[in-house]
Amino acid sequence: MEESPRLDIVYPFRVPMKIIGRLEELRPEMVMELILAHLGPQAEGDEQHQSNCKGSFISYTFWITLPHDQAETPLREAIQKLPGVVMQL
């Protein structure tokens, strides 16, 4: 079986980021504050998020623009430290 060719990623690169956490603790404003602190201003409309709630958990999906290949890891590390965060996709 042949391997699929690796995609060439060109930066800036816009991607979705989903954060799942406990409903009573995780707030989208906290996530957006970190996104702006780490990545700077985002494209118009990307400061809006989508949410989905099931039981005692909520997920927020944000579209973010990564300026370079080293930008995602520090942001994800900071988000993981927020109260109520369970998982990131």
Side-chain angles (χ1 to χ4, degrees), residues 19-86:
I19 298 93
I20 301 167
R22 291 183 287 280
L23 178 62
E24 298 299 322
E25 296 178 66
L26 184 61
R27 297 283 173 252
E29 302 83 29
M30 298 185 304
V31 176
M32 194 67 228
E33 184 178 308
L34 288 177
I35 290 170
L36 294 174
H38 281 82
L39 304 179
Q42 297 294 291
E44 187 174 332
D46 282 354
E47 291 189 17
Q48 302 299 316
H49 64 275
Q50 295 177 332
S51 63
N52 190 10
C53 185
K54 183 160 184 160
S56 60
F57 295 95
I58 191 159
S59 70
Y60 298 108
T61 302
F62 292 87
W63 280 91
I64 61 171
T65 301
L66 299 170
H68 51 78
D69 65 341
Q70 302 296 311
E72 186 174 9
T73 300
L75 173 60
R76 287 192 179 274
E77 289 171 350
I79 289 172
Q80 192 61 40
K81 294 176 183 175
L82 288 174
V85 171
V86 174

